[in-house]
Amino acid sequence: MIMEIADAKKNLQRKGFLDIAVDPTLDLFAVIEDLKKKKNAIVLAHYYQEPDIQDIADYIGDSLGLSQQAAKTDADIIVFAGVHFMAETAKILSPQKKVLLPDLKAGCSLADSAPPELFKKFRDKYPDHIVISYINCSAGIKALSDIICTSSNAEKIIESVPKDQPIIFAPDRNLGAYLIKKTGRDMVLWNGACMVHEIFSLEKITKLKVRHPEAKIIAHPECEPAVLALADYIGSTTALLKYSKQDSAKEFIVVTETGILHQMEKENPDKTFIPAPPNNACACNDCPHMKLNTLEKLYLCMEYEQPEITMDESLRLAALKPIERMLEISAKAGL
Ligand code: 13P
Ligand code: SF4
């Protein structure tokens, strides 16, 4: 066993997680609860995580809620059940805490669509513009930005900028196009997108609606404009969940990653939630990055306190500023 741990730690960077066999008879829920208490650790999970992880989490939320929790927790260890940019944001906000991510390879296609060196060249072409970046980006992009936003607060963030101030919005072109429509601001967009939200099939959603005419279509703003045009309601994961509770409809076609259905079904046992289908036969409405985390990897990372998020201090400080601006504007707006 000792050798197994030493080997697993040696292979950590290459594999992204501690590859150690976990005894299948272990009650992982009980062991993780014990580890939380013993180590004063908090588990933060995004809605796109698998149901077991959501059920063991101390807090489940959207990107804004998760960063607010990461900023205020008094836990010694933050275990981030989400993707890399989320855990990195937690580390930027809480540098004195140990931040663990069950699988370091849990990345994000949207964050990857904006390499900092290319983005810097792009930004430099618009010296009069300020940069608002969606939180789904690397610390390198955050450091090149003036304000960060999430899908919950993006409109308020844009509205906080004087009307005559030109804006670059990065990295999501779909969210950016949606915000241009909502706010009437003519922003310059970086050409990035999320692989999960881009793959929904307009044709299949239209057919579903024909079969379920009473169903409300609810969609995340990372979807393409043609899909958003079909939606009865558009919002962040938290906003979609809230809408599904408050609206009187009994059926919903949910156009975002399937993980959110777990909370929707738990909180609305009398309603039906239909995941919107992708445009091929794969399970591409599951985010392959989010779903790299498993309960076993969560347990191992808490037991051995690896993989840990680490960061260069000057990069952290540069990335912190626009995140703090986001949190200040959000607090003022009561978000
Ligand atoms: P929100 O949960 O903030 O709506 O973001 C969705 C998402 O794509 C996270 O990766
Ligand atoms: Fe990134 Fe899209 Fe996965 Fe969210 S769902 S983590 S935006 S790839």
Side-chain angles (χ1 to χ4, degrees):
M1 188 65 172
I2 302 290
M3 264 318 287
E4 203 183 352
I5 295 162
D7 284 346
K9 284 191 173 169
K10 238 189 282 160
N11 290 331
L12 187 60
Q13 286 306 321
R14 186 171 53 83
K15 293 197 170 177
F17 63 99
L18 286 171
D19 191 6
I20 300 172
V22 175
D23 176 356
T25 65
L26 206 59
D27 179 350
L28 288 177
F29 280 83
V31 184
I32 290 172
E33 285 302 344
D34 270 1
L35 285 168
K36 280 192 210 171
K37 286 192 202 103
K38 213 163 75 190
K39 301 193 177 207
N40 187 26
I42 187 174
V43 177
L44 305 181
H46 188 267
Y47 290 121
Y48 296 165
Q49 292 293 287
E50 63 172 46
D52 280 352
I53 294 182
Q54 294 190 37
D55 290 344
I56 197 87
D58 298 291
Y59 176 85
I60 318 165
D62 66 1
S63 306
L64 177 63
L66 289 164
S67 49
Q68 286 166 332
Q69 290 294 320
K72 74 175 188 202
T73 180
D74 53 13
D76 295 316
I77 299 180
I78 298 173
V79 187
F80 216 111
V83 291
H84 192 275
F85 77 81
M86 295 178 170
E88 195 174 58
T89 303
K91 185 68 185 174
I92 293 167
L93 285 162
S94 288
Q96 70 291 0
K97 299 192 195 316
K98 190 174 261 189
V99 178
L100 305 173
L101 180 64
D103 191 324
L104 273 186
K105 295 214 164 139
C108 168
S109 63
L110 181 51
D112 291 347
S113 69
E117 54 297 349
L118 288 186
F119 183 71
K120 186 174 180 316
K121 283 189 192 148
F122 176 78
R123 186 195 69 165
D124 290 348
K125 284 201 283 184
Y126 303 95
D128 304 338
H129 289 53
I130 69 154
V131 178
I132 300 181
S133 292
Y134 189 36
I135 197 162
N136 297 36
C137 64
S138 64
I141 294 292
K142 289 184 174 83
L144 293 168
S145 306
D146 297 288
I147 322 179
I148 298 303
C149 71
T150 74
S151 47
S152 294
N153 60 20
E155 274 179 70
K156 293 271 183 247
I157 300 279
I158 291 168
E159 282 161 8
S160 76
V161 174
K163 285 208 160 38
D164 57 350
Q165 169 62 61
I167 299 172
I168 294 175
F169 186 84
D172 189 355
R173 63 169 179 261
N174 292 324
L175 176 63
Y178 169 72
L179 291 167
I180 288 174
K181 240 173 126 179
K182 285 291 278 188
T183 63
R185 296 291 282 265
D186 183 22
M187 304 188 293
V188 174
L189 304 181
W190 176 263
N191 191 18
C194 157
M195 62 191 284
V196 179
H197 289 88
E198 281 234 311
I199 203 141
F200 290 112
S201 160
L202 193 62
E203 192 190 332
K204 288 185 188 169
I205 296 171
T206 307
K207 284 183 179 162
L208 260 183
K209 179 74 180 171
V210 172
R211 283 195 10 242
H212 302 267
E214 301 302 321
K216 289 267 175 80
I217 298 179
I218 57 176
H220 195 279
E222 285 173 26
C223 295
E224 289 184 322
V227 168
L228 292 181
L230 292 180
D232 296 289
Y233 181 76
I234 297 167
S236 71
T237 50
T238 296
L240 296 180
L241 183 59
K242 201 166 151 199
Y243 182 82
S244 73
K245 271 194 274 184
Q246 291 173 348
D247 192 76
S248 58
K250 290 285 176 213
E251 271 189 318
F252 295 86
I253 296 168
V254 183
V255 200
T256 189
E257 212 271 356
T258 57
I260 187 75
L261 267 74
H262 183 54
Q263 294 304 318
M264 288 177 171
E265 284 165 350
K266 255 174 110 169
E267 294 186 24
N268 303 281
D270 58 326
K271 297 183 179 180
T272 305
F273 296 95
I274 307 163
N279 63 14
N280 52 26
C282 69
C284 306
N285 47 3
D286 267 331
C287 173
H289 308 289
M290 286 278 181
K291 297 305 198 288
L292 277 180
N293 295 324
T294 61
L295 207 56
E296 281 76 13
K297 289 180 190 171
L298 184 72
Y299 153 65
L300 288 168
C301 91
M302 290 181 76
E303 176 72 35
Y304 299 105
E305 300 186 18
Q306 295 275 351
E308 185 185 353
I309 302 289
T310 55
M311 199 180 311
D312 171 77
E313 184 59 6
S314 59
L315 175 62
R316 187 190 76 78
L317 289 172
L320 177 63
K321 263 201 229 158
I323 301 174
E324 284 183 333
R325 276 193 81 184
M326 168 185 86
L327 293 176
E328 279 160 27
I329 298 166
S330 302
K332 266 195 207 142
L335 296 170

PDB file of all heavy atoms in Angstrom, residues 46-48 61-66 83 85-86 108 110 134-136 150-152 194 197 220-222 235-239 256-257 287 290, ligand 1:
ATOM      1  N   HIS A  46     -20.366  22.020  -7.998  1.00  0.00           N
ATOM      2  CA  HIS A  46     -21.186  22.663  -9.038  1.00  0.00           C
ATOM      3  C   HIS A  46     -22.345  21.724  -9.391  1.00  0.00           C
ATOM      4  O   HIS A  46     -22.247  20.503  -9.230  1.00  0.00           O
ATOM      5  CB  HIS A  46     -20.331  22.977 -10.277  1.00  0.00           C
ATOM      6  CG  HIS A  46     -21.071  23.798 -11.284  1.00  0.00           C
ATOM      7  ND1 HIS A  46     -21.772  23.233 -12.334  1.00  0.00           N
ATOM      8  CD2 HIS A  46     -21.273  25.133 -11.376  1.00  0.00           C
ATOM      9  CE1 HIS A  46     -22.348  24.206 -13.041  1.00  0.00           C
ATOM     10  NE2 HIS A  46     -22.063  25.372 -12.475  1.00  0.00           N
ATOM     11  N   TYR A  47     -23.433  22.323  -9.899  1.00  0.00           N
ATOM     12  CA  TYR A  47     -24.625  21.551 -10.264  1.00  0.00           C
ATOM     13  C   TYR A  47     -24.371  20.505 -11.352  1.00  0.00           C
ATOM     14  O   TYR A  47     -25.206  19.639 -11.572  1.00  0.00           O
ATOM     15  CB  TYR A  47     -25.726  22.488 -10.784  1.00  0.00           C
ATOM     16  CG  TYR A  47     -26.348  23.362  -9.734  1.00  0.00           C
ATOM     17  CD1 TYR A  47     -26.305  24.747  -9.848  1.00  0.00           C
ATOM     18  CD2 TYR A  47     -27.005  22.811  -8.635  1.00  0.00           C
ATOM     19  CE1 TYR A  47     -26.900  25.564  -8.900  1.00  0.00           C
ATOM     20  CE2 TYR A  47     -27.596  23.623  -7.685  1.00  0.00           C
ATOM     21  CZ  TYR A  47     -27.538  24.999  -7.822  1.00  0.00           C
ATOM     22  OH  TYR A  47     -28.131  25.809  -6.884  1.00  0.00           O
ATOM     23  N   TYR A  48     -23.269  20.620 -12.080  1.00  0.00           N
ATOM     24  CA  TYR A  48     -23.012  19.664 -13.148  1.00  0.00           C
ATOM     25  C   TYR A  48     -22.261  18.417 -12.650  1.00  0.00           C
ATOM     26  O   TYR A  48     -21.908  17.543 -13.448  1.00  0.00           O
ATOM     27  CB  TYR A  48     -22.181  20.305 -14.275  1.00  0.00           C
ATOM     28  CG  TYR A  48     -22.843  21.440 -15.022  1.00  0.00           C
ATOM     29  CD1 TYR A  48     -22.084  22.288 -15.824  1.00  0.00           C
ATOM     30  CD2 TYR A  48     -24.206  21.659 -14.969  1.00  0.00           C
ATOM     31  CE1 TYR A  48     -22.668  23.339 -16.534  1.00  0.00           C
ATOM     32  CE2 TYR A  48     -24.793  22.711 -15.673  1.00  0.00           C
ATOM     33  CZ  TYR A  48     -24.021  23.543 -16.454  1.00  0.00           C
ATOM     34  OH  TYR A  48     -24.597  24.573 -17.157  1.00  0.00           O
ATOM     35  N   GLY A  61     -23.794  24.927  -6.016  1.00  0.00           N
ATOM     36  CA  GLY A  61     -24.201  26.215  -6.565  1.00  0.00           C
ATOM     37  C   GLY A  61     -23.707  26.466  -7.964  1.00  0.00           C
ATOM     38  O   GLY A  61     -23.053  25.616  -8.591  1.00  0.00           O
ATOM     39  N   ASP A  62     -24.013  27.666  -8.442  1.00  0.00           N
ATOM     40  CA  ASP A  62     -23.489  28.110  -9.739  1.00  0.00           C
ATOM     41  C   ASP A  62     -22.139  28.792  -9.502  1.00  0.00           C
ATOM     42  O   ASP A  62     -21.664  28.888  -8.348  1.00  0.00           O
ATOM     43  CB  ASP A  62     -24.487  29.021 -10.475  1.00  0.00           C
ATOM     44  CG  ASP A  62     -24.730  30.359  -9.775  1.00  0.00           C
ATOM     45  OD1 ASP A  62     -24.130  30.620  -8.716  1.00  0.00           O
ATOM     46  OD2 ASP A  62     -25.535  31.147 -10.305  1.00  0.00           O
ATOM     47  N   SER A  63     -21.531  29.284 -10.575  1.00  0.00           N
ATOM     48  CA  SER A  63     -20.171  29.814 -10.461  1.00  0.00           C
ATOM     49  C   SER A  63     -20.092  31.004  -9.505  1.00  0.00           C
ATOM     50  O   SER A  63     -19.110  31.138  -8.765  1.00  0.00           O
ATOM     51  CB  SER A  63     -19.662  30.244 -11.834  1.00  0.00           C
ATOM     52  OG  SER A  63     -19.787  29.185 -12.728  1.00  0.00           O
ATOM     53  N   LEU A  64     -21.125  31.848  -9.489  1.00  0.00           N
ATOM     54  CA  LEU A  64     -21.088  32.999  -8.579  1.00  0.00           C
ATOM     55  C   LEU A  64     -21.198  32.527  -7.132  1.00  0.00           C
ATOM     56  O   LEU A  64     -20.378  32.900  -6.282  1.00  0.00           O
ATOM     57  CB  LEU A  64     -22.221  33.990  -8.898  1.00  0.00           C
ATOM     58  CG  LEU A  64     -22.301  35.187  -7.950  1.00  0.00           C
ATOM     59  CD1 LEU A  64     -21.028  36.038  -8.043  1.00  0.00           C
ATOM     60  CD2 LEU A  64     -23.528  36.060  -8.234  1.00  0.00           C
ATOM     61  N   GLY A  65     -22.185  31.685  -6.855  1.00  0.00           N
ATOM     62  CA  GLY A  65     -22.382  31.181  -5.490  1.00  0.00           C
ATOM     63  C   GLY A  65     -21.139  30.459  -4.979  1.00  0.00           C
ATOM     64  O   GLY A  65     -20.724  30.642  -3.831  1.00  0.00           O
ATOM     65  N   LEU A  66     -20.525  29.680  -5.850  1.00  0.00           N
ATOM     66  CA  LEU A  66     -19.341  28.918  -5.432  1.00  0.00           C
ATOM     67  C   LEU A  66     -18.183  29.858  -5.100  1.00  0.00           C
ATOM     68  O   LEU A  66     -17.458  29.640  -4.128  1.00  0.00           O
ATOM     69  CB  LEU A  66     -18.937  27.935  -6.544  1.00  0.00           C
ATOM     70  CG  LEU A  66     -19.897  26.746  -6.720  1.00  0.00           C
ATOM     71  CD1 LEU A  66     -19.665  26.045  -8.049  1.00  0.00           C
ATOM     72  CD2 LEU A  66     -19.752  25.747  -5.577  1.00  0.00           C
ATOM     73  N   VAL A  83     -14.638  22.177 -11.990  1.00  0.00           N
ATOM     74  CA  VAL A  83     -13.531  22.133 -12.948  1.00  0.00           C
ATOM     75  C   VAL A  83     -12.407  23.078 -12.531  1.00  0.00           C
ATOM     76  O   VAL A  83     -12.548  23.860 -11.588  1.00  0.00           O
ATOM     77  CB  VAL A  83     -14.009  22.398 -14.399  1.00  0.00           C
ATOM     78  CG1 VAL A  83     -14.866  21.244 -14.909  1.00  0.00           C
ATOM     79  CG2 VAL A  83     -14.756  23.713 -14.498  1.00  0.00           C
ATOM     80  N   PHE A  85     -10.928  25.877 -13.562  1.00  0.00           N
ATOM     81  CA  PHE A  85     -10.996  27.339 -13.384  1.00  0.00           C
ATOM     82  C   PHE A  85     -11.759  27.694 -12.109  1.00  0.00           C
ATOM     83  O   PHE A  85     -11.528  28.739 -11.508  1.00  0.00           O
ATOM     84  CB  PHE A  85     -11.604  28.020 -14.627  1.00  0.00           C
ATOM     85  CG  PHE A  85     -13.102  27.906 -14.756  1.00  0.00           C
ATOM     86  CD1 PHE A  85     -13.947  28.747 -14.045  1.00  0.00           C
ATOM     87  CD2 PHE A  85     -13.681  26.962 -15.602  1.00  0.00           C
ATOM     88  CE1 PHE A  85     -15.332  28.644 -14.156  1.00  0.00           C
ATOM     89  CE2 PHE A  85     -15.055  26.853 -15.714  1.00  0.00           C
ATOM     90  CZ  PHE A  85     -15.884  27.690 -14.986  1.00  0.00           C
ATOM     91  N   MET A  86     -12.657  26.832 -11.677  1.00  0.00           N
ATOM     92  CA  MET A  86     -13.439  27.106 -10.458  1.00  0.00           C
ATOM     93  C   MET A  86     -12.556  26.944  -9.221  1.00  0.00           C
ATOM     94  O   MET A  86     -12.570  27.783  -8.311  1.00  0.00           O
ATOM     95  CB  MET A  86     -14.631  26.146 -10.363  1.00  0.00           C
ATOM     96  CG  MET A  86     -15.647  26.328 -11.461  1.00  0.00           C
ATOM     97  SD  MET A  86     -16.993  25.143 -11.321  1.00  0.00           S
ATOM     98  CE  MET A  86     -18.128  25.830 -12.529  1.00  0.00           C
ATOM     99  N   CYS A 108     -11.933  22.827 -19.064  1.00  0.00           N
ATOM    100  CA  CYS A 108     -13.156  23.449 -19.600  1.00  0.00           C
ATOM    101  C   CYS A 108     -12.851  23.867 -21.031  1.00  0.00           C
ATOM    102  O   CYS A 108     -11.883  24.606 -21.270  1.00  0.00           O
ATOM    103  CB  CYS A 108     -13.526  24.660 -18.745  1.00  0.00           C
ATOM    104  SG  CYS A 108     -14.801  25.711 -19.472  1.00  0.00           S
ATOM    105  N   LEU A 110     -14.373  25.900 -22.880  1.00  0.00           N
ATOM    106  CA  LEU A 110     -14.531  27.345 -23.040  1.00  0.00           C
ATOM    107  C   LEU A 110     -13.281  28.080 -22.539  1.00  0.00           C
ATOM    108  O   LEU A 110     -12.756  28.969 -23.216  1.00  0.00           O
ATOM    109  CB  LEU A 110     -15.789  27.781 -22.270  1.00  0.00           C
ATOM    110  CG  LEU A 110     -16.197  29.234 -22.302  1.00  0.00           C
ATOM    111  CD1 LEU A 110     -16.261  29.768 -23.726  1.00  0.00           C
ATOM    112  CD2 LEU A 110     -17.549  29.400 -21.618  1.00  0.00           C
ATOM    113  N   TYR A 134     -15.936  36.365 -18.712  1.00  0.00           N
ATOM    114  CA  TYR A 134     -16.745  35.341 -18.053  1.00  0.00           C
ATOM    115  C   TYR A 134     -15.794  34.518 -17.180  1.00  0.00           C
ATOM    116  O   TYR A 134     -14.648  34.244 -17.596  1.00  0.00           O
ATOM    117  CB  TYR A 134     -17.363  34.493 -19.168  1.00  0.00           C
ATOM    118  CG  TYR A 134     -18.404  33.488 -18.779  1.00  0.00           C
ATOM    119  CD1 TYR A 134     -19.324  33.733 -17.766  1.00  0.00           C
ATOM    120  CD2 TYR A 134     -18.505  32.277 -19.476  1.00  0.00           C
ATOM    121  CE1 TYR A 134     -20.308  32.802 -17.460  1.00  0.00           C
ATOM    122  CE2 TYR A 134     -19.484  31.338 -19.179  1.00  0.00           C
ATOM    123  CZ  TYR A 134     -20.373  31.607 -18.166  1.00  0.00           C
ATOM    124  OH  TYR A 134     -21.343  30.685 -17.861  1.00  0.00           O
ATOM    125  N   ILE A 135     -16.273  34.119 -16.022  1.00  0.00           N
ATOM    126  CA  ILE A 135     -15.410  33.422 -15.048  1.00  0.00           C
ATOM    127  C   ILE A 135     -14.824  32.109 -15.600  1.00  0.00           C
ATOM    128  O   ILE A 135     -13.795  31.642 -15.118  1.00  0.00           O
ATOM    129  CB  ILE A 135     -16.195  33.189 -13.733  1.00  0.00           C
ATOM    130  CG1 ILE A 135     -15.272  32.873 -12.565  1.00  0.00           C
ATOM    131  CG2 ILE A 135     -17.276  32.117 -13.912  1.00  0.00           C
ATOM    132  CD1 ILE A 135     -15.897  33.043 -11.190  1.00  0.00           C
ATOM    133  N   ASN A 136     -15.463  31.564 -16.659  1.00  0.00           N
ATOM    134  CA  ASN A 136     -14.957  30.328 -17.276  1.00  0.00           C
ATOM    135  C   ASN A 136     -13.721  30.631 -18.123  1.00  0.00           C
ATOM    136  O   ASN A 136     -13.738  30.579 -19.350  1.00  0.00           O
ATOM    137  CB  ASN A 136     -16.027  29.710 -18.185  1.00  0.00           C
ATOM    138  CG  ASN A 136     -17.268  29.288 -17.434  1.00  0.00           C
ATOM    139  OD1 ASN A 136     -17.675  29.944 -16.484  1.00  0.00           O
ATOM    140  ND2 ASN A 136     -17.879  28.208 -17.855  1.00  0.00           N
ATOM    141  N   THR A 150     -20.227  36.279 -14.099  1.00  0.00           N
ATOM    142  CA  THR A 150     -20.756  34.925 -14.292  1.00  0.00           C
ATOM    143  C   THR A 150     -22.086  35.088 -15.025  1.00  0.00           C
ATOM    144  O   THR A 150     -22.534  36.219 -15.242  1.00  0.00           O
ATOM    145  CB  THR A 150     -21.000  34.205 -12.943  1.00  0.00           C
ATOM    146  OG1 THR A 150     -22.162  34.780 -12.341  1.00  0.00           O
ATOM    147  CG2 THR A 150     -19.812  34.317 -12.003  1.00  0.00           C
ATOM    148  N   SER A 151     -22.735  33.965 -15.318  1.00  0.00           N
ATOM    149  CA  SER A 151     -24.014  34.103 -16.026  1.00  0.00           C
ATOM    150  C   SER A 151     -25.090  34.693 -15.109  1.00  0.00           C
ATOM    151  O   SER A 151     -26.101  35.193 -15.596  1.00  0.00           O
ATOM    152  CB  SER A 151     -24.459  32.764 -16.626  1.00  0.00           C
ATOM    153  OG  SER A 151     -24.343  31.747 -15.678  1.00  0.00           O
ATOM    154  N   SER A 152     -24.867  34.667 -13.784  1.00  0.00           N
ATOM    155  CA  SER A 152     -25.852  35.261 -12.848  1.00  0.00           C
ATOM    156  C   SER A 152     -25.761  36.771 -12.782  1.00  0.00           C
ATOM    157  O   SER A 152     -26.748  37.437 -12.495  1.00  0.00           O
ATOM    158  CB  SER A 152     -25.596  34.805 -11.409  1.00  0.00           C
ATOM    159  OG  SER A 152     -25.801  33.485 -11.249  1.00  0.00           O
ATOM    160  N   CYS A 194     -18.576  26.876 -25.438  1.00  0.00           N
ATOM    161  CA  CYS A 194     -18.574  25.652 -24.616  1.00  0.00           C
ATOM    162  C   CYS A 194     -19.010  24.476 -25.474  1.00  0.00           C
ATOM    163  O   CYS A 194     -20.055  24.533 -26.124  1.00  0.00           O
ATOM    164  CB  CYS A 194     -19.546  25.843 -23.447  1.00  0.00           C
ATOM    165  SG  CYS A 194     -20.144  24.281 -22.769  1.00  0.00           S
ATOM    166  N   HIS A 197     -22.686  23.179 -24.528  1.00  0.00           N
ATOM    167  CA  HIS A 197     -23.844  24.010 -24.873  1.00  0.00           C
ATOM    168  C   HIS A 197     -23.965  24.264 -26.371  1.00  0.00           C
ATOM    169  O   HIS A 197     -25.009  24.698 -26.845  1.00  0.00           O
ATOM    170  CB  HIS A 197     -23.789  25.330 -24.089  1.00  0.00           C
ATOM    171  CG  HIS A 197     -24.076  25.114 -22.631  1.00  0.00           C
ATOM    172  ND1 HIS A 197     -23.091  24.809 -21.722  1.00  0.00           N
ATOM    173  CD2 HIS A 197     -25.241  25.111 -21.944  1.00  0.00           C
ATOM    174  CE1 HIS A 197     -23.647  24.644 -20.528  1.00  0.00           C
ATOM    175  NE2 HIS A 197     -24.944  24.821 -20.625  1.00  0.00           N
ATOM    176  N   HIS A 220     -29.550  27.585 -20.781  1.00  0.00           N
ATOM    177  CA  HIS A 220     -28.401  28.350 -20.268  1.00  0.00           C
ATOM    178  C   HIS A 220     -27.910  29.288 -21.375  1.00  0.00           C
ATOM    179  O   HIS A 220     -27.879  28.902 -22.554  1.00  0.00           O
ATOM    180  CB  HIS A 220     -27.279  27.389 -19.847  1.00  0.00           C
ATOM    181  CG  HIS A 220     -26.247  28.038 -18.999  1.00  0.00           C
ATOM    182  ND1 HIS A 220     -25.241  28.802 -19.533  1.00  0.00           N
ATOM    183  CD2 HIS A 220     -26.080  28.074 -17.653  1.00  0.00           C
ATOM    184  CE1 HIS A 220     -24.494  29.273 -18.545  1.00  0.00           C
ATOM    185  NE2 HIS A 220     -24.981  28.837 -17.387  1.00  0.00           N
ATOM    186  N   PRO A 221     -27.484  30.522 -21.024  1.00  0.00           N
ATOM    187  CA  PRO A 221     -27.077  31.472 -22.085  1.00  0.00           C
ATOM    188  C   PRO A 221     -25.789  31.107 -22.824  1.00  0.00           C
ATOM    189  O   PRO A 221     -25.408  31.820 -23.761  1.00  0.00           O
ATOM    190  CB  PRO A 221     -26.920  32.796 -21.324  1.00  0.00           C
ATOM    191  CG  PRO A 221     -26.718  32.417 -19.898  1.00  0.00           C
ATOM    192  CD  PRO A 221     -27.476  31.142 -19.695  1.00  0.00           C
ATOM    193  N   GLU A 222     -25.130  29.989 -22.454  1.00  0.00           N
ATOM    194  CA  GLU A 222     -23.978  29.537 -23.246  1.00  0.00           C
ATOM    195  C   GLU A 222     -24.438  28.843 -24.534  1.00  0.00           C
ATOM    196  O   GLU A 222     -23.617  28.493 -25.381  1.00  0.00           O
ATOM    197  CB  GLU A 222     -23.110  28.572 -22.440  1.00  0.00           C
ATOM    198  CG  GLU A 222     -22.268  29.241 -21.368  1.00  0.00           C
ATOM    199  CD  GLU A 222     -21.543  28.240 -20.486  1.00  0.00           C
ATOM    200  OE1 GLU A 222     -21.268  27.116 -20.926  1.00  0.00           O
ATOM    201  OE2 GLU A 222     -21.248  28.589 -19.326  1.00  0.00           O
ATOM    202  N   GLY A 235     -31.227  31.470 -18.219  1.00  0.00           N
ATOM    203  CA  GLY A 235     -30.555  31.892 -16.988  1.00  0.00           C
ATOM    204  C   GLY A 235     -29.413  30.978 -16.591  1.00  0.00           C
ATOM    205  O   GLY A 235     -29.188  29.918 -17.200  1.00  0.00           O
ATOM    206  N   SER A 236     -28.703  31.387 -15.551  1.00  0.00           N
ATOM    207  CA  SER A 236     -27.613  30.581 -14.989  1.00  0.00           C
ATOM    208  C   SER A 236     -28.209  29.305 -14.392  1.00  0.00           C
ATOM    209  O   SER A 236     -29.441  29.192 -14.272  1.00  0.00           O
ATOM    210  CB  SER A 236     -26.922  31.371 -13.883  1.00  0.00           C
ATOM    211  OG  SER A 236     -27.788  31.445 -12.751  1.00  0.00           O
ATOM    212  N   THR A 237     -27.369  28.380 -13.972  1.00  0.00           N
ATOM    213  CA  THR A 237     -27.893  27.126 -13.417  1.00  0.00           C
ATOM    214  C   THR A 237     -28.781  27.405 -12.200  1.00  0.00           C
ATOM    215  O   THR A 237     -29.859  26.830 -12.078  1.00  0.00           O
ATOM    216  CB  THR A 237     -26.745  26.165 -13.047  1.00  0.00           C
ATOM    217  OG1 THR A 237     -25.787  26.871 -12.265  1.00  0.00           O
ATOM    218  CG2 THR A 237     -26.090  25.586 -14.274  1.00  0.00           C
ATOM    219  N   THR A 238     -28.344  28.318 -11.322  1.00  0.00           N
ATOM    220  CA  THR A 238     -29.156  28.633 -10.140  1.00  0.00           C
ATOM    221  C   THR A 238     -30.486  29.254 -10.565  1.00  0.00           C
ATOM    222  O   THR A 238     -31.536  28.928 -10.009  1.00  0.00           O
ATOM    223  CB  THR A 238     -28.394  29.614  -9.215  1.00  0.00           C
ATOM    224  OG1 THR A 238     -27.227  28.943  -8.749  1.00  0.00           O
ATOM    225  CG2 THR A 238     -29.228  30.034  -8.014  1.00  0.00           C
ATOM    226  N   ALA A 239     -30.442  30.139 -11.555  1.00  0.00           N
ATOM    227  CA  ALA A 239     -31.675  30.796 -12.017  1.00  0.00           C
ATOM    228  C   ALA A 239     -32.621  29.771 -12.654  1.00  0.00           C
ATOM    229  O   ALA A 239     -33.838  29.843 -12.457  1.00  0.00           O
ATOM    230  CB  ALA A 239     -31.330  31.912 -13.001  1.00  0.00           C
ATOM    231  N   THR A 256     -29.288  22.489 -20.853  1.00  0.00           N
ATOM    232  CA  THR A 256     -27.965  22.726 -20.270  1.00  0.00           C
ATOM    233  C   THR A 256     -27.415  21.363 -19.858  1.00  0.00           C
ATOM    234  O   THR A 256     -28.045  20.327 -20.138  1.00  0.00           O
ATOM    235  CB  THR A 256     -28.022  23.731 -19.085  1.00  0.00           C
ATOM    236  OG1 THR A 256     -26.682  24.077 -18.708  1.00  0.00           O
ATOM    237  CG2 THR A 256     -28.735  23.173 -17.873  1.00  0.00           C
ATOM    238  N   GLU A 257     -26.260  21.340 -19.219  1.00  0.00           N
ATOM    239  CA  GLU A 257     -25.638  20.075 -18.828  1.00  0.00           C
ATOM    240  C   GLU A 257     -26.600  19.282 -17.929  1.00  0.00           C
ATOM    241  O   GLU A 257     -27.311  19.863 -17.092  1.00  0.00           O
ATOM    242  CB  GLU A 257     -24.327  20.402 -18.092  1.00  0.00           C
ATOM    243  CG  GLU A 257     -23.246  19.384 -18.272  1.00  0.00           C
ATOM    244  CD  GLU A 257     -23.245  18.272 -17.257  1.00  0.00           C
ATOM    245  OE1 GLU A 257     -24.069  18.304 -16.325  1.00  0.00           O
ATOM    246  OE2 GLU A 257     -22.418  17.348 -17.379  1.00  0.00           O
ATOM    247  N   CYS A 287     -21.020  17.109 -19.458  1.00  0.00           N
ATOM    248  CA  CYS A 287     -19.704  17.737 -19.647  1.00  0.00           C
ATOM    249  C   CYS A 287     -18.616  16.722 -19.297  1.00  0.00           C
ATOM    250  O   CYS A 287     -18.539  16.259 -18.156  1.00  0.00           O
ATOM    251  CB  CYS A 287     -19.574  18.985 -18.770  1.00  0.00           C
ATOM    252  SG  CYS A 287     -17.907  19.659 -18.812  1.00  0.00           S
ATOM    253  N   MET A 290     -16.427  18.029 -16.247  1.00  0.00           N
ATOM    254  CA  MET A 290     -17.109  17.973 -14.950  1.00  0.00           C
ATOM    255  C   MET A 290     -17.207  16.523 -14.460  1.00  0.00           C
ATOM    256  O   MET A 290     -17.035  16.238 -13.282  1.00  0.00           O
ATOM    257  CB  MET A 290     -18.538  18.531 -15.073  1.00  0.00           C
ATOM    258  CG  MET A 290     -18.592  20.031 -15.212  1.00  0.00           C
ATOM    259  SD  MET A 290     -18.455  20.769 -13.571  1.00  0.00           S
ATOM    260  CE  MET A 290     -18.561  22.511 -13.977  1.00  0.00           C
TER     261      MET A 290
HETATM  262  P1  13P B   1     -23.242  28.677 -14.052  1.00  0.00           P
HETATM  263  O1  13P B   1     -23.436  27.523 -13.103  1.00  0.00           O
HETATM  264  O2  13P B   1     -22.586  29.822 -13.374  1.00  0.00           O
HETATM  265  O3  13P B   1     -24.520  29.025 -14.709  1.00  0.00           O
HETATM  266  O4  13P B   1     -22.204  28.196 -15.187  1.00  0.00           O
HETATM  267  C1  13P B   1     -22.446  27.115 -15.992  1.00  0.00           C
HETATM  268  C2  13P B   1     -21.215  26.478 -16.508  1.00  0.00           C
HETATM  269  O5  13P B   1     -21.058  26.191 -17.660  1.00  0.00           O
HETATM  270  C3  13P B   1     -20.171  26.187 -15.589  1.00  0.00           C
HETATM  271  O6  13P B   1     -19.152  25.575 -16.255  1.00  0.00           O
END
